[in-house]
Every structure is written in C-alpha cells, then in structure tokens.
Amino acid sequence: MPTYAYACKNCGHRFDAVQSFSEPSLTECPECGGPLRKEYGSVGVTFNGSGFYRTDSRTTSGASETSSTESKSEAKASEGVS
C-alpha cells in the first residue's frame, strides 16, 4: 500500500498516512480539525527488465553482431594494456 503525505492548511501539521488506492483521501487534520491537502514529492522510479531501453527493440542480427564484435575487440585491447 502506498504512503501519502498530508499537510494541514490551518496549523501546518504534516504527517504520512498509509492508504490503499481505493480509500478516499483524508480531509480533516487530526490535530486541529482543519482542512488537509495532499503533498506530492519526487518519486523514485526504476525501470528494470526488457523493453525499457532503446536497444531492446532492435531485432536485426547486424546490430547484435556489431555489439559482440566491439566487445571482443575491447576485451583484447584491455588484455594487452597493463
């Protein structure tokens, strides 16, 4: 369940509430009974897995051959350098 941040418009009291998506938003401050507003902050989102990167949609065999050839040549070059 997501955690939502609320702030009172009257007294400035701030708190977090764990609520499900189907629950209605809180409207009354537990401290003074004043109206609440939901606060929105930055959300950390990480996209993992296939389909999220530009290179995931490439299906041509030439692109995969080129990348494997480049990685082999880079590996040989790094072995020779000490």
Side-chain angles (χ1 to χ4, degrees):
M1 286 201 299
T3 301
Y4 296 101
Y6 288 94
C8 179
K9 292 181 181 181
N10 289 344
C11 69
H13 174 68
R14 295 173 186 244
F15 64 96
D16 294 335
V18 178
Q19 297 176 285
S20 71
F21 290 112
S22 60
E23 289 182 58
S25 297
L26 300 177
T27 57
E28 189 175 305
C29 176
E31 296 290 318
C32 71
L36 290 176
R37 64 181 167 87
K38 239 183 211 182
E39 293 188 321
Y40 297 97
S42 61
V43 179
V45 178
T46 303
F47 296 104
N48 292 326
S50 62
F52 293 107
Y53 301 97
R54 187 176 76 169
T55 56
D56 288 344
S57 62
R58 295 183 182 172
T59 57
T60 61
S61 61
S64 61
E65 289 174 10
T66 304
S67 63
S68 64
T69 304
E70 288 174 359
S71 62
K72 287 179 185 177
S73 62
E74 288 174 2
K76 288 180 183 178
S78 64
E79 288 175 4
V81 176
S82 295

